[in-house]
Amino acid sequence: MIKIGMLVGGRYEILEKIGTGGMSDVYKAKDHKLNRFVAVKVLKQEFSENTNFVSKFRIEAQAAAGLMHSNIVNVYDVGEENGIYYIVMELVEGITLKKYIEKKARLSVKEAISIAIQVSMGIEAAHNNHIIHRDIKPQNIIISKDGKVKVTDFGIAKAATSNTITSNVMGSVHYTSPEQARGGYSDEKSDIYSLGVTLFEMLTGRVPFNGETTVAIAIKHIQEPMPSPREYVPEIPVSAEQIVLKCTQKSPDRRYQKVADVIEDLKHSLISPDEDFVVIDDGEVSGQTRVVTDGEETRPKKKQQKRENEEEHLRLNEASRQRQKKKSSSRPRKGQREQEEEEEDNYDPKMERITTVLAVIAAVLIGCIILFIAGKTLGIVDLDDIKSRFSSEEKGKEVEMPEVAGMKLSTAKETLSEAGLDYNVIYEESSEYEEDIVISSNIKAGRVVEEGTVVELTVSAGAEGVSILDVTGKSLAEATALLEKDGFQVSKTEVSSSTVEKGNVVSQSPKAGEKAPRGATITLEISSGPDSSKVSVPSVMGMTEMDATVTLTEARLVVGNVEEINYEDPAFLGLVCYQSYSVGDYVDPETPVDIKISLGPAEQTYSFVANVESPVLEDPAFVAGTQVTVVLSTAEGVELTRTTTATFPVTMNVSGIKGSDKGKITFQYISAGQPSYVQDPNTGEMVPVAGEAAPKAVERPVQFVPEL
């Protein structure tokens, strides 16, 4: 069990919990051996007890520890202590890309591609070392305070995918490749697919596939075509769109084959965003299993039907020719010569065929009209049904419309999808039906329609009206389309904003989630960009106080309070290490900006806590019970504490020690000296003679412990 203040691995002191994930918790810690702050990721107990998982995790984490790259959160150490499995990583101060996207709604094309390039460079470094991430997603990408992009969690993903782990532990299925969704083999191109989905989300502010369950989303990755990001944000340049689509091809063989190619195209896109240079292979891959879409499934059937119609047409023509031949052979040939000659002069075979055909057509039409009128009168014939049947025969595969009235909307959607039908939802206030219950559909149950037909569902919005969508951060056009689709009117007002892109929605009234009757007006506040009366705050970090003053003055701001503080990074010694407004904030002119000047890192102090034993180790002749003065001092000779005693051990507890982490203990006492032996002249025996007493001092080196 990890606790704040405990020492892990004999060197990492746990300071605070800074994050948690599906498989682990992350703590900020102090590495006392190298005197630096680190991040310690600790496996949760349910995974620590799985020996198979722990074994794979340790192997992968150790491999990841060999990675050193500026776009990777580097792994320093891997260890285990009392059943606690942990990895020690570089501590990166910043936020995840997921939170950054949520904060900005969506990123600009230039920013998204720049971030994708840095992510790709980190992935490429891993691939060059034969390490596949397998869980690339915005949650595993960190943007540091200085704008550096770093990929984290290398090594943990393979251990996880090698075991049976629930999807909520593995993280979002929104970014998984089709081959991973099938549970099959994954390689470098699986990371490229996930990179493409991540770029899609940066550009549009949303993931390409969504669903009510992880299984539903995984199936969409396998079966449904990847939507174009330009469907949601039309101003995205064609090169960025094509890079996303090539990264996210269903077949791995049709994606980029290595990350270096992705980086090359991303850099090209930065220079020439509107150039259509990305090559996507549209051909079928030999031997590759491919999911057949609905349209592809119906095409062979259409061709077969067309062939059958042509064969029937030829058969009827042949029968007509046979009947004509038979008719001709039955005419008299002899005995009536003059009459025959007259008939030959008047007979026109072409006119006879036309007359016969017209007569047959007229008879058939008259019969059909009579039958139709009779059926219509008796209610036997459904004109709409006939139209739908003929339409289905012409267009392709037929399906029967299921009964959906009275169902929950989610159930109705599943039922229509299983039947091969699409749907469109219209909400209607109703006190008779509960909210989200299907009231009716524009196609009757049991009717045969073409597969893929769009069914319009009228759904109850309850008696209180329709729930209003959240359109903040979206463009005016997109927000208007979404709200008008639900039957609302839209009005707009313009407001200045330094955080929301010009032309996008800053706020809405009523708010998202509230209900309003159809026809109600939703007021949108649209960003007109930053207020021209305000000024942008520049960066003065790393400047001298004089340069910071000049920079703020040029920006029509003033210097506020100036304070000197200790700052950990020695590179900021004597420079600005803090400013009270973030870079890019818009404030009124002449606003005071407080700054802080670094005095350098705070002076390190040490402590010494120990039970000091007698100097018998240093002086074997030391006699127990001898009075000793024990002095603790630094390596430089500064005395810290002094005590006199004849009893050992002596307890010492000293803190706030400055200087180096080395010191010494000096023992000062009177030594009786070594006894000598002389011969007794009377007896001839050797008798001891006491040694001469003399002052003595011995030293013992000690190590001090750094204090936080």
Side-chain angles (χ1 to χ4, degrees):
M1 181 71 179
I2 289 288
K3 293 182 179 179
I4 303 301
M6 74 180 295
L7 205 64
V8 177
R11 61 187 285 190
Y12 306 112
E13 182 180 1
I14 304 298
L15 302 179
E16 60 177 313
K17 188 174 183 179
I18 57 176
T20 186
M23 291 179 290
S24 58
D25 295 317
V26 184
Y27 298 86
K28 181 179 180 180
K30 177 72 175 290
D31 180 357
H32 287 294
K33 188 172 182 179
L34 296 178
N35 192 25
R36 66 181 176 185
F37 291 102
V38 295
V40 177
K41 178 167 286 192
V42 180
L43 274 183
K44 289 184 177 179
Q45 186 173 359
E46 59 264 36
F47 300 106
S48 297
E49 294 171 353
N50 185 330
T51 55
N52 186 31
F53 176 83
V54 167
S55 175
K56 293 179 183 295
F57 163 74
R58 182 182 293 160
I59 293 171
E60 288 301 312
Q62 287 172 345
L67 286 175
M68 295 297 291
H69 192 272
S70 59
N71 294 117
I72 291 176
V73 176
N74 297 307
V75 177
Y76 297 144
D77 193 8
V78 183
E80 180 269 334
E81 185 175 288
N82 299 325
I84 298 172
Y85 295 88
Y86 62 90
I87 55 178
V88 182
M89 305 182 299
E90 173 187 3
L91 179 65
V92 181
E93 300 285 352
I95 64 172
T96 65
L97 176 58
K98 185 71 174 179
K99 290 183 179 178
Y100 188 64
I101 296 172
E102 291 172 353
K103 181 180 178 182
K104 299 191 69 174
R106 62 180 175 88
L107 309 186
S108 67
V109 175
K110 185 174 181 180
E111 186 176 26
I113 292 179
S114 298
I115 291 174
I117 289 173
Q118 294 190 60
V119 173
S120 300
M121 292 173 71
I123 297 173
E124 181 187 31
H127 288 182
N128 290 340
N129 284 272
H130 311 292
I131 295 175
I132 304 168
H133 193 291
R134 293 178 173 84
D135 196 20
I136 294 294
K137 57 186 178 182
Q139 294 91 325
N140 284 338
I141 298 167
I142 300 176
I143 301 177
S144 67
K145 289 182 178 179
D146 60 359
K148 197 72 175 176
V149 180
K150 291 178 176 283
V151 185
T152 188
D153 268 2
F154 277 98
I156 200 167
K158 183 175 182 181
T161 52
S162 302
N163 293 266
T164 304
I165 296 178
T166 59
S167 59
N168 65 314
V169 173
M170 275 305 298
S172 176
V173 73
H174 294 91
Y175 310 91
T176 191
S177 65
E179 58 269 22
Q180 287 174 293
R182 293 189 189 98
Y185 172 78
S186 58
D187 58 8
E188 290 87 347
K189 293 184 281 294
S190 302
D191 283 352
I192 291 175
Y193 183 95
S194 301
L195 173 63
V197 178
T198 301
L199 179 56
F200 184 104
E201 184 174 1
M202 285 193 284
L203 292 169
T204 65
R206 53 166 291 158
V207 291
F209 298 122
N210 225 324
E212 297 180 359
T213 65
T214 55
V215 173
I217 299 170
I219 290 173
K220 288 183 179 180
H221 277 287
I222 296 172
Q223 295 183 348
E224 293 191 7
M226 178 65 60
S228 166
R230 298 179 78 183
E231 292 179 15
Y232 305 102
V233 185
E235 56 266 30
I236 292 174
V238 63
S239 61
E241 173 199 40
Q242 294 297 93
I243 291 171
V244 170
L245 294 179
K246 184 167 183 177
C247 285
T248 55
Q249 291 289 304
K250 302 296 182 191
S251 168
D253 292 331
R254 293 172 63 182
R255 298 174 203 153
Y256 289 99
Q257 297 303 293
K258 55 183 184 294
V259 183
D261 296 337
V262 182
I263 296 172
E264 182 179 352
D265 278 2
L266 286 170
K267 290 180 177 178
H268 193 163
S269 179
L270 274 181
I271 300 170
S272 306
D274 296 317
E275 182 181 344
D276 187 6
F277 57 84
V278 179
V279 179
I280 301 179
D281 179 17
D282 291 329
E284 298 298 333
V285 181
S286 176
Q288 181 71 26
T289 301
R290 190 172 65 86
V291 177
V292 180
T293 64
D294 293 342
E296 292 172 324
E297 184 179 356
T298 58
R299 274 198 290 271
K301 296 182 179 180
K302 288 182 179 178
K303 291 180 180 179
Q304 181 180 356
Q305 187 178 19
K306 183 177 179 182
R307 285 196 299 271
E308 290 174 353
N309 290 340
E310 290 173 348
E311 291 172 0
E312 178 66 12
H313 179 70
L314 292 172
R315 187 184 64 78
L316 290 174
N317 285 346
E318 179 63 24
S320 177
R321 284 196 297 271
Q322 291 297 330
R323 284 196 303 271
Q324 183 67 34
K325 185 177 180 181
K326 185 176 181 181
K327 183 178 178 180
S328 299
S329 63
S330 65
R331 294 190 185 113
R333 297 180 181 271
K334 295 179 181 179
Q336 300 178 344
R337 185 168 184 83
E338 292 180 0
Q339 184 177 352
E340 287 177 2
E341 288 177 355
E342 183 179 350
E343 289 176 354
E344 285 177 3
D345 292 336
N346 297 329
Y347 176 67
D348 187 346
K350 183 176 180 182
M351 182 59 68
E352 182 179 358
R353 284 197 299 272
I354 293 173
T355 304
T356 302
V357 170
L358 290 175
V360 171
I361 292 173
V364 171
L365 286 174
I366 293 170
C368 289
I369 291 170
I370 293 171
L371 289 174
F372 176 79
I373 293 172
K376 186 74 174 176
T377 304
L378 297 174
I380 299 173
V381 177
D382 188 335
L383 183 60
D384 291 338
D385 188 50
I386 292 174
K387 288 180 179 178
S388 67
R389 288 178 182 275
F390 275 101
S391 176
S392 297
E393 289 174 2
E394 291 174 1
K395 293 183 179 179
K397 185 177 178 181
E398 296 176 346
V399 295
E400 185 176 309
M401 172 65 189
E403 178 63 75
V404 294
M407 290 183 178
K408 288 283 289 183
L409 177 59
S410 58
T411 306
K413 288 180 177 179
E414 291 180 3
T415 302
L416 291 174
S417 296
E418 290 173 359
L421 299 173
D422 204 347
Y423 48 82
N424 185 32
V425 179
I426 296 177
Y427 285 94
E428 181 179 291
E429 293 85 6
S430 173
S431 57
E432 181 181 353
Y433 292 89
E434 293 181 6
E435 187 176 358
D436 277 343
I437 297 296
V438 177
I439 299 174
S440 63
S441 61
N442 67 329
I443 300 177
K444 295 179 181 179
R447 181 175 298 167
V448 176
V449 295
E450 181 191 358
E451 186 177 42
T453 298
V454 178
V455 180
E456 190 172 278
L457 300 177
T458 301
V459 180
S460 171
E464 299 176 358
V466 183
S467 180
I468 301 172
L469 293 173
D470 183 3
V471 295
T472 55
K474 299 183 184 298
S475 67
L476 174 60
E478 184 180 1
T480 302
L482 290 171
L483 293 172
E484 288 182 347
K485 183 179 178 182
D486 285 345
F488 296 116
Q489 302 292 322
V490 176
S491 68
K492 65 173 184 174
T493 59
E494 287 196 348
V495 295
S496 60
S497 174
S498 60
T499 57
V500 178
E501 186 176 342
K502 183 178 180 180
N504 288 1
V505 179
V506 177
S507 66
Q508 62 185 81
S509 179
K511 295 181 179 179
E514 295 182 6
K515 292 186 176 181
R518 291 190 179 279
T521 299
I522 311 299
T523 302
L524 303 179
E525 288 190 338
I526 307 301
S527 172
S528 60
D531 187 348
S532 58
S533 66
K534 296 184 180 292
V535 295
S536 176
V537 177
S539 173
V540 295
M541 293 288 289
M543 295 183 182
T544 64
E545 182 180 350
M546 179 63 72
D547 290 341
T549 302
V550 172
T551 301
L552 292 173
T553 302
E554 290 176 345
R556 297 167 59 199
L557 301 169
V558 297
V559 177
N561 295 324
V562 180
E563 181 183 353
E564 292 184 330
I565 62 169
N566 291 115
Y567 192 68
E568 293 177 359
D569 191 340
F572 281 82
L573 179 63
L575 305 176
V576 177
C577 60
Y578 166 85
Q579 61 185 77
S580 56
Y581 287 95
S582 299
V583 177
D585 283 354
Y586 282 84
V587 297
D588 293 324
E590 307 304 319
T591 297
V593 179
D594 298 337
I595 61 174
K596 295 180 181 180
I597 308 298
S598 172
L599 294 172
E603 186 175 3
Q604 179 66 62
T605 59
Y606 304 88
S607 63
F608 180 74
V609 179
N611 290 322
V612 180
E613 298 292 343
S614 71
V616 68
L617 293 175
E618 292 81 8
D619 181 11
F622 176 79
V623 178
T626 300
Q627 193 168 11
V628 181
T629 298
V630 184
V631 180
L632 175 66
S633 59
T634 66
E636 295 79 14
V638 178
E639 184 176 312
L640 301 173
T641 184
R642 173 187 291 264
T643 183
T644 301
T645 182
T647 305
F648 287 92
V650 175
T651 300
M652 286 190 173
N653 188 344
V654 182
S655 60
I657 304 171
K658 297 181 179 180
S660 69
D661 61 349
K662 294 179 174 56
K664 62 182 178 180
I665 296 175
T666 304
F667 300 91
Q668 300 172 348
Y669 53 93
I670 302 299
S671 173
Q674 294 291 339
S676 59
Y677 293 88
V678 297
Q679 189 175 24
D680 188 333
N682 298 322
T683 63
E685 295 179 355
M686 301 297 291
V687 295
V689 177
E692 183 179 353
K696 190 169 186 179
V698 296
E699 292 182 351
R700 178 182 300 169
V702 293
Q703 185 83 25
F704 300 144
V705 177
E707 293 178 323
L708 295 179

